[in-house]
Amino acid sequence: MKTLKVSKKIKKADYLMGEFLSEKDFDKLIDFDCDVYTINGVLLAKFRRNVLDEKKLLQCVENVRDSIVKMDNRGIASGKVQLDKTMNRAGSHVKENFKLQPITKDGRKSKYKVGNCVLNGLIGYMDRTVMMPYCRKTAYTKNEFEKFEKAIPFIKEVDELYKCLIPEKWNIQNEYAKATNKNYVINGTTFTTVTVNKDFQTAVHKDAGDLKKGFGNLSCYKTKGSKGGYFVLPEYKIAFDLCSTDLLLVDVHRWHGNTPIINETEEDERISFVMYYREKTIKCLAPKEELERVKRANNKL
């Protein structure tokens, strides 16, 4: 097992927010088992090759593939907004760096802000949002629950490796999961939600909404003709070459992004999985209570 200690090469990387990276943005590509720490001994990442079961991975891919749709709500991760990359939003709008805020026909700003379209899926459970103010199953989980259940063995395997490799972080997350209504935790894991990305080069961002006291993870299914898509920590000028059956445990609350994904044929693809505990899920009530809560709020309007 190799251990690396790395120093910051970019002291203030905020200027990279929303920018797309290339292979010029790292000096070292890690494609071997490795633990990476800062000079001060703070864990940045643990990378393991070929530790995930291929059959479980393929079963997961097969059963969540249909969750992947065009989405325009990924914010900074989808890069600076360009009108031609949104869902053909015509008419008036207010443009920000990373979102468009459409103007409704009566001249009001829409509550729903949009960004560049990406191929993205969401499985598991969601906490309350502005648009949907109640805790719930994601649409795919609700409509395709049998397929969702067939993906769980792979999700469990990632969780077990998380527990094995970074037990102190896993224990914290497990305490949150145990204190959360069981209707919103993926059975047998410390995760509430899985984001599924297809051929999505993320711009530089920091993850938000997940448990800050936990630790991030990334796994993927990648065909032989799919190249690039390296996961980069630009402040430290390091990158990871994540392939099928590999696992990357990484501090996703630091600036990170991907290099371009290049598929040699139309059949090639890269599907990645990010599994996490949504921090506000701890506040979720039982499903019936959540709906009653919404009804009471609507009655006050």
Side-chain angles (χ1 to χ4, degrees):
M1 176 61 57
K2 191 163 185 177
T3 299
L4 291 179
K5 284 199 171 185
V6 294
S7 58
K8 267 193 178 184
K9 304 294 177 64
I10 302 176
K11 291 186 178 179
K12 293 185 179 180
D14 294 29
Y15 72 93
L16 288 172
M17 182 172 65
E19 298 292 336
F20 289 103
L21 301 173
S22 72
E23 293 190 16
K24 294 180 181 178
D25 292 294
F26 63 86
D27 299 325
K28 187 172 186 63
L29 180 64
I30 297 171
D31 59 1
F32 49 88
D33 287 2
C34 188
D35 294 346
V36 184
Y37 295 85
T38 68
I39 291 296
N40 297 323
V42 177
L43 179 66
L44 285 177
K46 291 197 174 189
F47 184 60
R48 297 294 184 271
R49 300 303 306 258
N50 300 316
V51 290
L52 296 169
D53 185 272
E54 187 175 24
K55 288 183 179 179
K56 290 178 182 177
L57 169 61
L58 293 175
Q59 180 174 300
C60 179
V61 170
E62 179 183 346
N63 284 284
V64 305
R65 184 182 293 281
D66 290 341
S67 72
I68 301 169
V69 296
K70 283 186 177 181
M71 298 183 73
D72 59 5
N73 63 352
R74 291 301 306 273
I76 296 170
S78 62
K80 293 179 179 178
V81 69
Q82 299 178 43
L83 188 59
D84 62 345
K85 291 185 178 180
T86 64
M87 289 188 183
N88 299 316
R89 301 275 172 175
S92 300
H93 59 269
V94 176
K95 184 176 179 180
E96 301 173 3
N97 267 344
F98 305 106
K99 294 179 181 178
L100 290 178
Q101 189 170 22
I103 305 297
T104 61
K105 291 181 180 179
D106 58 5
R108 292 183 298 175
K109 291 181 180 179
S110 170
K111 289 183 179 179
Y112 184 62
K113 296 182 180 182
V114 303
N116 295 324
C117 284
V118 297
L119 291 173
N120 185 224
L122 202 62
I123 64 172
Y125 308 93
M126 284 293 292
D127 52 0
R128 302 166 194 150
T129 63
V130 173
M131 298 301 294
M132 301 186 75
Y134 57 92
C135 301
R136 63 204 181 277
K137 293 184 178 79
T138 66
Y140 189 77
T141 303
K142 180 180 179 181
N143 297 330
E144 301 285 356
F145 194 75
E146 288 186 6
K147 287 186 176 181
F148 167 66
E149 286 190 309
K150 290 178 181 177
I152 290 179
F154 179 68
I155 301 171
K156 282 184 175 179
E157 186 177 32
V158 171
D159 190 59
E160 288 164 3
L161 282 166
Y162 175 24
K163 179 182 180 180
C164 177
L165 292 168
I166 315 181
E168 62 278 10
K169 293 289 186 180
W170 184 91
N171 286 330
I172 293 171
Q173 191 159 315
N174 188 46
E175 289 303 312
Y176 274 81
K178 289 193 298 183
T180 301
N181 187 290
K182 65 180 182 180
N183 288 285
Y184 309 107
V185 179
I186 297 173
N187 186 37
T189 78
T190 61
F191 305 127
T192 60
T193 318
V194 180
T195 294
V196 185
N197 298 316
K198 177 179 167 68
D199 297 331
F200 175 17
Q201 181 193 2
T202 60
V204 175
H205 67 289
K206 295 179 181 179
D207 286 13
D210 61 316
L211 184 65
K212 294 182 181 68
K213 295 178 181 179
F215 212 73
N217 63 77
L218 186 67
S219 53
C220 79
Y221 165 71
K222 187 175 180 180
T223 58
K224 289 183 179 178
S226 183
K227 310 298 182 183
Y230 302 138
F231 182 98
V232 185
L233 293 170
E235 293 172 287
Y236 297 91
K237 295 282 188 176
I238 59 171
F240 299 86
D241 182 13
L242 187 76
C243 299
S244 297
T245 71
D246 297 345
L247 178 64
L248 175 63
L249 296 166
V250 62
D251 185 351
V252 292
H253 299 124
R254 297 178 187 268
W255 295 117
H256 63 276
N258 293 100
T259 61
I261 298 163
I262 301 169
N263 293 326
E264 294 179 349
T265 70
E266 291 184 0
E267 288 73 34
D268 286 313
E269 62 184 352
R270 180 184 187 273
I271 296 176
S272 64
F273 303 93
V274 182
M275 307 177 191
Y276 51 100
Y277 176 94
R278 291 189 66 84
E279 195 160 49
K280 293 182 180 179
T281 313
I282 193 77
K283 298 178 181 179
C284 292
L285 306 173
K288 287 184 179 179
E289 293 178 84
E290 284 291 326
L291 293 177
E292 286 298 323
R293 180 178 174 276
V294 172
K295 289 178 183 178
R296 289 195 299 270
N298 289 338
N299 289 335
K300 290 180 182 179
L301 297 177

